[in-house]
Structure formats: C-alpha cells, structure tokens
Amino acid sequence: MAQVEAIKAYKDNYIWALQGSDNKLVVVDPGLAEPVLDYLQAQGKTLAAILITHHHWDHTTGVAALKLAYPEITVYGPKNSPFTDVDVALSDGDTITELGYEFQVRATPGHTLDHICYIGAGLVFSGDTLFSGGCGRLFEGSAEQMWQSMQVFRDLDDNTQVYCTHEYTLANMQFAAASQPHNEAVLSYQHQVEAKRAQDIITLPSTIGLEKRINPFLRADAIPLGAIPPQFRPQDDEPVAKFAALRTWKDNF
Ligand code: ZN
Ligand code: FE
C-alpha cells in the first residue's frame, strides 16, 4: 500500500504527499508552495512530480514556485483546462507512471469541466469531485455529468482509499444524516467523525466501501423520494433527478 501524508494548506485543504523510494515524492494539488517546501526540507526529500486535479486556485497556486525550486519535476494536469502551466496534459483513460506507481486518469466533470482523478496504488486522488460523505459543488458541470462521475467511483474496489482535497467530512456527515435518517452506518460514522474533529484529527483517507454505505451523493439512487424535503423533491424517482435534488438541498443546507 502506498504511503501518503497530508500537508495542510489554507483553512481545510490537504496537499497529499505520495512517498516513493530514494527520498522522492509526488504532491497532489499544491494550492500553496510554502508548506510543501517546508515539508520537503523537514523530511530531507525532493519533489519528483505534481498532480493537478482541476484548475481552481486552491489546488494550483503553489505550482509556479515549486517549479522554480525544482525545475526537473513533471507537472501533470487536465487537458482543456484554464490552468495551463503543465508539462503533461491528460485525458480520460491516460496512464502515468511516477515513483514506480501507475495511475489511471479518469475524467470526472461536474465540479469543474476539466476535473480529473488519479487512480492507482490502491487509492484515488479524488480532488473536489468525491469528498468523504459528500461531493463537490456544481460550479461548471451539470448534475448529470456529476452523477456520471459518481459511477467512476462506484466501479472501484471497496478497499480503494479515497484521498480528497478538503476536510469537509464533519459538515458532510450532518447532511448525510439529515438525508438518511434511517442509515445506521451514517449515524455511527458521524459519531466517529465528530470525535476525530473534536481532537483536530484528520478524517481521511476514507474508502470506497465506506463511501458506498454513507455518502448520499454516491448512493442517490438508494435514497427514497420521501427523504427529500418537498421544496427540493423531484417529480420522478430517477437517479439523476434525486442526485440533482440532493445537491440543491445541500447547497441550501
Ligand atoms: Zn475546486
Ligand atoms: Fe478546492
């Protein structure tokens, strides 16, 4: 299993540091350079590559300074993206190899149109698409696109570890409980998360198996229409309609 550590940035961002042999590491979504440079220095490591999931500033602002400090690195990011400071532009189905690990690239539009996820080494770097207990807001894409993106995660092995970019789990579990009042797995996980956050303990990584049991957006098709408040409730018992309704409800929660 790959070794991954969290570097904190901003209020609730995690810059994931994937550890390789010979003191090299790969970072994902460096929204800031300073905490990454500090981490590298403290650990006596060098940077091999950067993976970018989407163009938002809180995922990309550190790239320029990290490239200046480590000119040899490879920056990977999505093709057709407003963020263009990449060495290798990736599309759905591409594979990349770094530190001896192979990652498959999957397009997961919805939060943004350029969003990609990196799947390999027993984990997924899910950016702002799949959060623990939630999903990203629909800034650019449609509910239909995001629901399609959810299927990418549902197809992964249950043991796959989920490394998303934000510590949103506590608020997500409040909504998960409101939308799934009879889901025992949600209530017990909510208590675990509350205990962890009360002690400022990270709630990640999650696993695909856990998310399939608790995440209302990943299991929108399993949520009964009656669980959705009347002002958000769709006419039809269709997965996409329920997903869209849950997303709108959460935006107003
Ligand atoms: Zn974002
Ligand atoms: Fe973000």
Side-chain angles (χ1 to χ4, degrees), residues 54 56 59 111 128:
H54 67 295
H56 281 160
H59 299 246
H111 175 67
D128 286 359

Side-chain angles (χ1 to χ4, degrees), residues 13 54 56 58-59 111 127-128 131 165-166 168:
N13 279 59
H54 67 295
H56 281 160
D58 63 309
H59 299 246
H111 175 67
D128 286 359
F131 292 126
T165 304
H166 291 275
Y168 289 162

